Amino acid sequence: MGVRVMVLDEHRLLAEALASALKLRGHRVLAAAAPAAGAADLVISRAPEVCLLGTATPAEPGVFEPVVRIRRERPQTAVVVLGPVPSPRGIAAAFAAGACGYVRQDERIEGVERALAKARAGEVAISPQLLQGAFAELLNPAAAPDDEGSRLLRLLTPREVEVLVRVAEGEDTRMIAAGMEIAPSTARTHVQRVLMKLGVGSRLEAAALAARTGLLDRAALPRADADFPGRP
């Protein structure tokens, strides 16, 4: 039994092509139009079982406002978002607005049909692979470039941060030892630990990495007497 479906997409040709494909497979397509200010009105007035809502920007603020209104005024209509390879934020925004499914725009027509059937049955319509990918990214987010300095900073102790500051300022082992009032051998040990933790092979590389990631800008730079009272 075919699904009574409405196709809305900001690319009219895509909407009409998908509508034609669904008609050929026995579904009743009520309309195919680009979403605009009246998109929600159209869905509410025609009352399809399922609305396929296409968007190129699923993470854009406010893009799912029509979904919110459709679900509020026509709760019998299930909304499935048709979008690009999404970020977890895009998927979360779609479901938060009331959508019951998310289908990639490059999905085969059989996948779209499965989503329509699940949506009409009141089930969540999203492929396990897409959901797994979204959860994987949410649970293990890639570090943003400007987070790298903070991540590296967390690897170092306060004293190692001070050593790195002094290394970046061009101090040699003798100067580091004198400035921190520690033995030269202890200073060398601290420097080696800093290099190891930062994953670099030389003081020059450590200084360059600190400058590139903004590590030192994020550091509360400790100094000998202020932060280590009573230190030998």
Side-chain angles (χ1 to χ4, degrees), residues 63-145:
V63 74
F64 295 124
E65 283 303 318
V67 181
V68 174
R69 189 172 164 219
I70 291 166
R71 295 300 296 154
R72 182 177 66 243
E73 300 186 30
R74 182 65 67 175
Q76 306 94 323
T77 295
V79 180
V80 175
V81 172
L82 185 66
V85 179
S87 65
R89 184 183 302 175
I91 290 179
F95 281 96
C100 69
Y102 193 107
V103 177
R104 284 174 47 164
Q105 288 170 334
D106 59 356
E107 179 63 80
R108 290 165 115 21
I109 189 64
E110 294 83 2
V112 176
E113 282 193 295
R114 284 193 294 272
L116 293 178
K118 285 186 175 182
R120 182 173 63 177
E123 300 175 20
V124 174
I126 184 171
S127 73
Q129 295 84 358
L130 194 58
L131 193 60
Q132 183 178 9
F135 272 114
E137 189 174 337
L138 286 169
L139 294 173
N140 302 288

